[in-house]
């Protein structure tokens, strides 16, 4: 076994290693130099496209049709996409392995999940007019540079909203780069444009000149963490500066006349320059290392390193991780390195193994941790095993040790080794795997149709399996040639009893393939009613969709279906559809009440709901300001109900309404005051208040207002107009239908105690103490005392005495005296 | 993953706050905020206006006012997206601003609580979808108190009962689902009423769907699949359909808080009172307000709040209010004077001779809290004074007389005269309607002759437009004609195949659940009936059927108690309707009782063992009022919680606060036949 340090190289004071991942990557006939290449993040797929700008030998007709070919890192062709129109200007990947293809006219196609079909969107009018020149991508978006130097940013792909950034100055753009939103202060994407001798920083609102003088810069590259920028100057130097343009960190002179074809970051601490077959890696402080190849080289930057691809090999260049360096560096005396040595000795059955352990005893736990970490960084299975053995040996010596990390690492390595296998071609580093997450790794496997491996890995990592099944079923629906019934049967049979299967997704795949019947059949197995709705609408099963929407209980869905139905069906059919579904009818009523009154009218007419129809007319009458129109509406409202016996009350009330209007209009003419809008009682009140007693009595008799009610209204009206004379007159009446107490209360409430007191003797139905209370309220203590005297109530008299002042005290004393002897 | 944490209201508040601020942060630069009126209050409960300003909000507009200006490039709308009207209003405003303004605008819409298909469709049809940034602000429950969660949907009552639009029920199910996700499944779902049934069904349904949703939704790809086990802390969910118990809403609430709500109205823990009553708001915030009491001050001040009104915050940050809120108003005066005396003596203690420096320091330290208490005492004394004026009024007493008679089950015809008088005296329409509805609710509808008589009176007294009001009230089921044919149906439960009565037989239920307690003690409450001075709310009695079986059994039938009392442990532990099935059959609407078990029985069993047999644990019951809850009911439930002791926690959840005026008001026709 070769030493793990064999592929290490010291650059400055750091070690870098170049791991050979795969050999014989591409067919030797493939002219890499004539292709544009784009690699998905986290060791994902690689897309190749024939560069239109370069000359190529005429090869007959088979190359006439341009394609984009998607390969795995090991060079296995996954898919070939036909580009039938437009000139491809840029290729890029998003985090979830969606391929983005942008053509000159600003059309963006998103190829999800490495499939053939895509969702398009456009960058807008200006892109169409001026044409796209180039694009730069980050994990979840991209920026397009147009030929007029305008910049358009797209920050999400599920709902793309192309946004124009601030306008940069015109002039030739020598090179450009972006800083992803996550790494900028403003949290929106920033673009670095090298124009003339300087660099402009452009974001959504402004374009700022950074005042550099060493341009034009041939290349700009931003480090993965957004902290550093590498610039390639005209005099073939590389500058590394901080991204706020404040510090220059290192400089390197390549001494090559021709500018490199590409410059990328390798992790966050080295910059890689590539010429046709030569690669320079520039570490910190300008130290560099050079690699030479036999054929054309492409660079694909990743978060923690860089992939170098030629026809023959695919290599991964990265800084040696700290744990590995600590363990393997020549002459290292770190505990981990000693522990590794110990396990070697142990295998040779040498007693020195224990000496080694004793040597590092105090730091043994640390050594175990480092070995576990280093194992994760190794690509060679031999060394992985060796390191894990060392860790295992070390932890067996320790008394207390949490083995969780060790177990996790063993599991992780099993997964990593499985997917690194050349037939799968996902050479994930440990770092990348952590960022990618196991769930998305499964998604990638599924996208490559490695269902068996995906299932096994999911099972091994205790992840849900349902998505894998669904993906399988969708693929089956797309590709199977069997008749629809057997496909459906097969799928349902295989997925029977599996948890969390979304049949809606499978059905949608079938629908997209144009197999509507199959889609409906599959949809029938979907347990979520709501999810079935949109697809059912698409295949034209409206009433079924309505049923499912109602079943889901989600009113939004019901509304959605109803809107759809209303557009599609005739009114009669629409009503027939909703008629048997009360919830749908209720929702139509509720929403139409605020807008579409005509619809509501038709609905009530159709359903023969006369009372509702009549009420609707009433609300319309309420809205009318013109009396003629209002009366018309009321007449129709009454007419609707005329025939049925159960609504006689309603009809009578509507008639009365009209009668009231007529009489009120007469009053308005006669008295010059407004009456319409008042109720019957209010009309009487107003009439009495303005002294029109005769008229008020007419209203009373006309509308058969009860005598009691009339008296109450009269009382209130008189009080409000302070008609004490009239009220005094009334006190002389013999009888009141509402009794006399209200008179007392209301008049007293209005502040006329004297008048109120007139009514006290009339309240004959009240008890003596109550009447005494009334006298007190009027401030007539003596009167109250008289009342008490009459009733021979001694205690009340005493109480009154205490309340009394001045003359009244004597009066009451006299009465007490008067009462006292009779008691004796 | 193990949902062991107890349900904490402050978590919900904190999350809503964080979500909103994060969304605001997502809109770069200064922005104008356009908010739906009914959302301004709830939002104000968890975020202050000054905080919004820190997050770049320049000006706040009400959506309903349609007056957004173009001063800022960014315009953010915050609205509920369930109703087409709101969406259209937003679309129109966007179009208007775009037309009038010279500069380019960035529009964002935050839909509460979710983005709807309908809103998308309408925005698309009006041609604005392409240029607005649409996001969801998933605000469901808003905690009003630690134990009161509200969805704050003002229209919920009208939607559910008048328009039969189940949106509120669906959103309630969503909200409860979110609770289940964080707390674990409700082990048992109990409930009463038509809508309670559909809510429970939706919950069961959603749980089944959640399985698939969680895994097929790409956004939560790395969340483990939704595998719920029954909650260890929550015992059950009790759903009370408001439709089961209208009378409780219609009666005048007699607790302090209830009366404030009835008289001045309480909105989002705040009441607005004429400043002549309490004195004008201090120009500078008094010390106690800066020290936390004001942390929930309104975020969104209405632009021109009338100068004569003063807003008063009513929640548990006010210590004095906590003591007063649930007390019957009859004893509030006594309580207040007791507090006043104590405060006086505390304050006077500074005059004590030979105090040490330490004692003095202690006193000085307490000084701010004295001042705070004094300020709040002052407010509550003036509030109580004002309420006293109302409760001593002739009208109030008349109304109360009718209510007490009806609640006690007296012959309704005895109160007809008073109701007629009230109409003649032009007392507020809602008050009259409340009484009529109350009579209808407790006696299974009004006799046709009486109903028409009162309809005539009301039409003549308040205007003929109220024909529509009556139609609406009948639809809600508040004011209905008595169906004589139905009388036979509930004598024979077997006649009704569903087993659920369609009309509540109040006379029977009153007796068997003792809905009216004659010897109620208001100062030292001995039964929940104290909140209405005699009437015990049916809704709360239903809760007692589950949680306080022995007590209720003893109360309703003192002689046969031993039978049920002998095994109280079995009766209370399971939390079901057992023992009260007969009564429930006489109350309208179906009865709900569902047990939820986890997929993995072994796991839930294991968890149970791990946590002990639940002996030392506080068990939570959630009481969900579908269609609204009154303050009096909350007071009654707090009283029950006090009786149940430390081992149980009751949490009240609801679609919104309600009182009689709002319930009846849902049906009242607001317009009149005026010539303009």
């Amino acid at each position: 076994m070769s030493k793990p340090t064999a592929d290490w190289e010291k650059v400055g004071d750091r070690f870098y290693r170049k791991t050979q991942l795969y050999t014989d990557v591409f067919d030797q006939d493939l002219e890499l130099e004539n292709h544009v290449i784009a690699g998905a993040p986290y060791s994902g797929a690689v897309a190749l496209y024939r560069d239109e700008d370069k000359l190529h030998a005429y090869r007959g007709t088979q190359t006439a049709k341009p394609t984009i070919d998607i390969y795995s890192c090991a060079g296995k062709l996954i898919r070939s996409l036909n580009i039938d129109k437009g000139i491809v200007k840029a290729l890029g990947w998003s985090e979830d392995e969606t391929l983005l293809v942008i053509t000159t006219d600003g059309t963006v196609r998103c190829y999800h999940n490495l499939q053939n079909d895509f969702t398009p969107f456009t960058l807008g009018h200006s892109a169409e007019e001026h044409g796209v020149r180039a694009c730069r991508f980050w994990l979840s978006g991209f920026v397009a540079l147009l030929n007029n130097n305008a910049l358009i940013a797209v920050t999400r792909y599920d709902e793309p909203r192309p946004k124009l950034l601030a306008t940069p100055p015109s002039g030739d753009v020598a090179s450009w780069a972006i800083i992803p939103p996550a790494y900028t202060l403003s949290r929106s994407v920033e673009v670095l444009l090298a124009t003339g001798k300087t660099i402009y920083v452009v974001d959504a609102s402004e374009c700022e000149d950074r005042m550099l003088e060493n341009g034009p810069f041939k290349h700009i590259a931003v480090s993965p963490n957004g902290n550093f920028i590498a610039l390639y100057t005209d005099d073939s130097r590389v500058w590394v500066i901080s991204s706020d343009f404040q510090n220059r960190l290192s400089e390197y002179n390549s001494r090559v006349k021709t500018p490199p074809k590409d410059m990328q970051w390798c992790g966050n601490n080295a910059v890689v320059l590539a010429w046709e077959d030569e690669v320079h890696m520039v570490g910190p402080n300008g130290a560099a290392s050079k690699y030479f190849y036999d054929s054309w080289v492409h660079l694909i930057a990743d978060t923690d390193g860089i992939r170098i691809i030629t026809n023959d090999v695919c290599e991964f260049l990265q800084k040696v991780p700290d744990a590995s360096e600590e363990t393997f560096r020549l002459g290292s005396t770190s505990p981990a390195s000693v522990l590794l040595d110990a396990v070697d000795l142990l295998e040779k059955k040498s007693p020195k193994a224990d000496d080694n352990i004793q040597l590092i005893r105090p730091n043994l736990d640390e050594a175990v941790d480092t070995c576990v970490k280093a194992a994760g960084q190794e690509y060679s299975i031999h060394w992985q095993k060796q390191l894990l053995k060392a860790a295992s040996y070390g932890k067996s010596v320790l008394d207390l040790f949490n083995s969780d990390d060790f177990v996790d690492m063993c599991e992780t390595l099993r997964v990593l080794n499985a997917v690194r296998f050349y037939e799968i071609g996902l050479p994930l580093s440990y770092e990348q795997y952590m960022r990618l997450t196991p769930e998305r790794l499964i998604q990638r496997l599924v996208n490559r149709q490695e269902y068996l491996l995906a299932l096994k890995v999911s099972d091994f990592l205790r992840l849900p399996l349902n998505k894998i099944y669904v993906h399988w079923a969708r693929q089956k629906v797309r590709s199977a040639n069997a008749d629809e019934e057997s496909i459906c049967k097969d799928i349902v049979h295989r997925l029977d009893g599996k948890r969390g299967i979304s049949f809606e997704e499978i059905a949608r795949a079938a629908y997209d393939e144009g197999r509507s019947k199959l889609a409906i059949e599959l949809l029938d197995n979907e347990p979520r009613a709501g999810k079935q709705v949109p697809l059912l609408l698409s295949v034209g099963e409206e009433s079924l969709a309505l049923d499912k929407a109602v079943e889901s209980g989600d009113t939004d869905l019901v509304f959605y279906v109803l809107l759809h139905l209303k557009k599609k069906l005739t009114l009669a059919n629409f009503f027939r559809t909703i008629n048997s579904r009360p919830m749908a009818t209720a929702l139509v009523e509720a929403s139409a009440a605020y807008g579409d009154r005509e619809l509501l009218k038709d609905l009530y007419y159709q359903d023969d709901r006369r009372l509702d129809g009549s009420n609707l007319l009433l609300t319309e009458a309420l809205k009318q300001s013109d009396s003629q129109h209002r009366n018309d509406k009321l007449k129709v409202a009454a007419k609707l109900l005329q025939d049925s016996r159960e609504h006689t009350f309603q009809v009578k009330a509507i008639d009365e309404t009209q009668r009231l209007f007529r009489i009120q209009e007469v009053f308005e003419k006669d008295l010059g005051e407004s009456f319409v809008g008042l109720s019957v009682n209010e009309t009487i009140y107003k009439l009495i208040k303005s002294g029109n007693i005769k008229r008020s009595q007419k209203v009373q008799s006309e509308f058969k207002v009860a005598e009691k009610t009339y008296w109450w209204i009269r009382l209130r009206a008189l009080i409000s107009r302070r008609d004490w004379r009239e009220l005094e007159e009334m006190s002389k009446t013999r009888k009141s239908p509402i009794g006399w107490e209200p008179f007392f209360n209301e008049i007293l409430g209005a502040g006329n105690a004297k008048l109120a007191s007139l009514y006290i003797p009339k309240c004959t139905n009240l008890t003596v103490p109550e009447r005494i209370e009334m006298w007190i309220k009027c401030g007539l203590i003596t009167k109250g005392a008289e009342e008490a005297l009459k009733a021979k109530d001694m205690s009340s008299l005493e109480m009154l005495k205490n309340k009394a002042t001045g003359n009244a005290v004597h009066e009451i004393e006299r009465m007490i005296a008067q009462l006292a002897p009779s008691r004796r | 993953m193990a949902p062991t944490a107890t349900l904490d209201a402050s978590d919900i508040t904190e999350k809503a706050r964080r979500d909103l601020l994060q969304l605001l942060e997502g809109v770069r630069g200064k922005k104008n905020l356009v908010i739906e009126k009914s959302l301004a209050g709830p939002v104000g409960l968890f975020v202050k206006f000054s905080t919004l300003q820190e997050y770049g909000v320049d000006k706040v507009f009400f959506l309903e006012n349609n007056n957004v200006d173009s001063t800022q490039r960014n315009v953010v709308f915050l609205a509920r997206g369930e109703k087409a009207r709101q969406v259209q209003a937003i679309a129109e405003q966007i179009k208007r601003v775009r037309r009038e303004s010279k500069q380019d605008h960035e529009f964002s819409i935050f839909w509460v609580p979710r983005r709807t298909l309908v809103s998308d469709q309408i925005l698309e049809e009006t041609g604005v979808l392409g240029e607005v940034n649409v996001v969801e602000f998933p605000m469901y429950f808003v905690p009003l108190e630690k134990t009161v969660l509200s969805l704050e949907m003002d229209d919920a009552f009208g939607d559910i009962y008048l328009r039969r639009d189940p949106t509120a029920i669906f959103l309630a199910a969503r909200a409860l689902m979110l609770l289940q996700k964080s707390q674990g499944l409700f082990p048992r779902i109990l409930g009463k009423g038509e809508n309670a049934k559909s809510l429970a069904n939706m919950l069961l349904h959603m749980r089944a769907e959640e399985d698939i949703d969680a895994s097929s939704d790409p956004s939560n790809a790395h969340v483990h699949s939704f595998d719920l086990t029954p909650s260890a802390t929550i015992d059950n969910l009790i759903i009370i359909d408001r439709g089961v118990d209208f009378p409780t809403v219609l009666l005048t609430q007699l607790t302090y808080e209830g009366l404030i709500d009835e008289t001045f109205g309480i909105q989002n823990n705040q009441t607005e009172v004429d400043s002549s009553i309490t004195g004008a708001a201090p120009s500078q915030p008094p010390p106690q307000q800066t020290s936390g009491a004001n942390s929930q001050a309104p975020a969104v001040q209405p632009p021109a709040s009338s100068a004569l009104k003063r807003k008063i915050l009513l929640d548990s940050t006010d210590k004095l209010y906590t003591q007063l809120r649930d007390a019957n108003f009859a004893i509030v005066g006594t309580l207040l004077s007791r507090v006043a005396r104590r405060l006086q003596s505390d304050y006077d203690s500074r005059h004590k001779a030979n105090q040490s420096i330490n004692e003095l320091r202690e006193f000085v330290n307490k000084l701010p809290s004295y001042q705070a208490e004094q300020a709040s005492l002052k407010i509550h004394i003036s509030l109580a004074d004002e309420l006293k004026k109302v409760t001593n009024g002739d009208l109030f007493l008349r109304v109360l007389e009718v209510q007490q008679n009806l609640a006690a089950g007296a012959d309704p015809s005895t109160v007809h005269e008073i109701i007629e008088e009230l109409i003649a005296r032009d007392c507020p329409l809602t008050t009259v309607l409340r009484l009529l509805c109350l009579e209808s609710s407790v006696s299974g509808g009004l006799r046709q002759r009486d109903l028409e008589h009162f309809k005539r009176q009301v039409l003549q007294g308040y205007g003929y437009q109220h024909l529509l009001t009556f139609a609406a009230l009948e639809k809600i089921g508040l004011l209905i004609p008595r169906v004589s044919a139905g009388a036979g149906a509930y004598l024979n439960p077997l006649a009704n195949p569903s087993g659920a009565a369609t009309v509540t037989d109040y006379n029977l239920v009153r007796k068997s659940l003792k809905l009216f307690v004659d010897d109620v003690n208001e100062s030292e409450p001995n039964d929940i009936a104290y909140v209405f001075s005699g009437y015990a709310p049916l809704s709360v009695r239903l809760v007692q059927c589950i949680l306080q079986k022995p007590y209720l059994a003893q109360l309703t039938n003192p002689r046969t108690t031993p039978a049920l009392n002998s095994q109280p442990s079995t009766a209370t532990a399971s939390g079901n309707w057992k023992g009260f099935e007969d009564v429930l059959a006489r109350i309208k609407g179906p009865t709900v009782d569902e047990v939820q078990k986890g997929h993995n029985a072994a796991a839930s069993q294991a968890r149970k063992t791990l946590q002990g047999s639940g002996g030392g644990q506080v068990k939570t019951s959630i009481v969900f009022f579908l269609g609204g809850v009154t303050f009096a009911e909350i007071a009654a439930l707090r009283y029950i919680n006090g009786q149940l002791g430390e081992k149980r926690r009751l949490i009240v959840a609801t679609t919104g606060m309600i009182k009689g005026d709002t319930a009846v008001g849902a049906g009242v026709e607001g317009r009149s036949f005026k010539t303009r």
Side-chain angles (χ1 to χ4, degrees), chain A residues 159 161 186 466 499 505 527-528 553-556 560 567 615 622 656 677 679-681 703-704 712 716, chain B residues 28 114-118 121 125 132 167 170 209 211-213 215-216 424 456 460-461 463-464 471 673:
Chain A
E159 252 181 71
R161 299 223 185 289
S186 63
N466 46 8
R499 269 188 64 208
E505 274 181 62
R528 293 165 300 171
D554 187 347
T555 43
D556 177 39
Y560 181 72
K567 261 184 232 149
N615 280 339
L622 272 173
E656 261 179 42
S679 70
V680 174
N681 290 7
F703 290 92
K704 302 200 184 66
W712 264 111
R716 287 191 290 120
Chain B
R28 306 304 309 165
R114 57 168 183 163
R115 178 179 185 170
T116 57
L117 293 166
V118 173
Q121 182 135 1
E125 275 165 16
V132 290
T167 309
F170 181 76
E209 296 191 352
D211 255 359
I212 310 158
D213 271 336
S215 48
S216 60
R456 237 177 78 84
Q460 290 192 343
Y464 287 98
F673 288 103

Side-chain angles (χ1 to χ4, degrees), chain A residues 379-547:
Chain A
Y379 284 81
S380 141
I381 295 178
H382 169 80
W383 287 108
Q384 289 171 2
K385 278 188 183 162
Q386 204 63 17
L387 285 163
L388 288 175
K389 262 186 216 158
S392 162
Y393 177 41
K395 85 186 172 67
S396 70
V397 177
L398 286 167
D399 298 330
L400 280 170
F401 190 78
N402 184 350
S403 308
D404 286 0
D405 285 346
F406 179 80
V407 175
D408 284 350
M409 186 56 81
C410 290
E411 284 185 355
T412 307
L413 280 176
R414 268 196 85 171
V415 173
L416 285 181
N417 289 335
V419 300
R420 281 172 189 166
F421 186 57
Y422 75 95
E423 281 183 357
I424 309 294
L426 285 171
L428 282 172
S429 70
Y430 181 77
E431 205 61 41
Q432 291 167 359
Y433 175 64
M434 287 295 122
R435 282 178 189 245
L436 182 68
T437 71
E439 285 81 0
R440 286 207 299 234
L441 174 63
I442 302 292
Q443 183 63 40
R444 286 194 172 183
L445 289 177
V446 164
N447 289 346
R448 288 162 174 75
Q449 296 175 35
E450 300 287 349
Y451 297 116
L452 185 62
L453 183 61
L455 282 173
K456 289 219 160 128
V457 171
S458 282
D459 212 28
F460 182 62
L461 295 175
R462 297 167 293 278
L463 292 175
L465 305 173
N466 46 8
K467 272 180 133 174
I468 305 170
Y469 291 125
V470 170
H471 198 280
W472 166 81
R474 283 167 57 185
Q475 206 56 40
K476 174 139 185 115
V477 164
R478 283 205 192 96
S479 54
N481 290 323
D483 67 303
E484 307 205 325
E485 202 163 312
S486 63
I487 297 177
C488 181
K489 219 188 254 169
D490 191 20
I491 289 176
V492 173
H493 176 69
R494 290 256 195 129
L495 302 187
D496 185 36
K498 304 274 190 293
R499 269 188 64 208
I501 301 294
S502 165
F503 277 94
E504 179 254 344
E505 274 181 62
I506 308 172
R508 184 160 289 281
Y511 174 70
D512 291 344
E513 284 297 305
R515 299 178 151 183
S516 301
K517 229 182 100 218
L518 179 59
I520 297 171
E521 255 175 83
L522 285 167
L523 207 51
D524 207 34
N525 293 289
E526 168 66 51
R528 293 165 300 171
K531 286 282 174 186
Q532 304 183 11
V533 171
L535 199 55
L536 283 172
L537 283 184
S538 324
V539 296
E541 292 279 338
E542 280 89 1
S543 55
L544 192 55
L546 187 56
D547 281 338

Side-chain angles (χ1 to χ4, degrees), chain A residues 256-309:
Chain A
V256 177
K257 288 276 157 50
T258 49
K261 70 171 190 61
D262 199 3
M263 178 175 81
Q264 296 283 352
W265 279 84
C266 166
N268 284 315
N269 42 33
V271 179
V272 174
L273 304 171
W275 285 266
E276 273 100 52
D277 51 3
E278 183 178 338
V279 170
H280 291 191
M281 191 188 62
V282 186
N285 303 322
S289 160
K290 297 178 186 176
Y291 304 94
F292 299 95
Y293 292 86
D294 299 337
S295 55
W296 187 276
V297 180
H298 276 298
L299 299 180
I300 297 173
D302 225 318
T303 52
D304 60 339
I306 196 162
R307 272 178 286 161
I308 299 173
I309 291 185

Side-chain angles (χ1 to χ4, degrees), chain B residues 86-97:
Chain B
Q86 245 79 323
V87 186
Q88 253 141 12
I90 290 178
E92 268 152 36
Q93 296 202 25
I94 289 177
K95 281 209 255 179
R96 183 177 58 81
V97 171

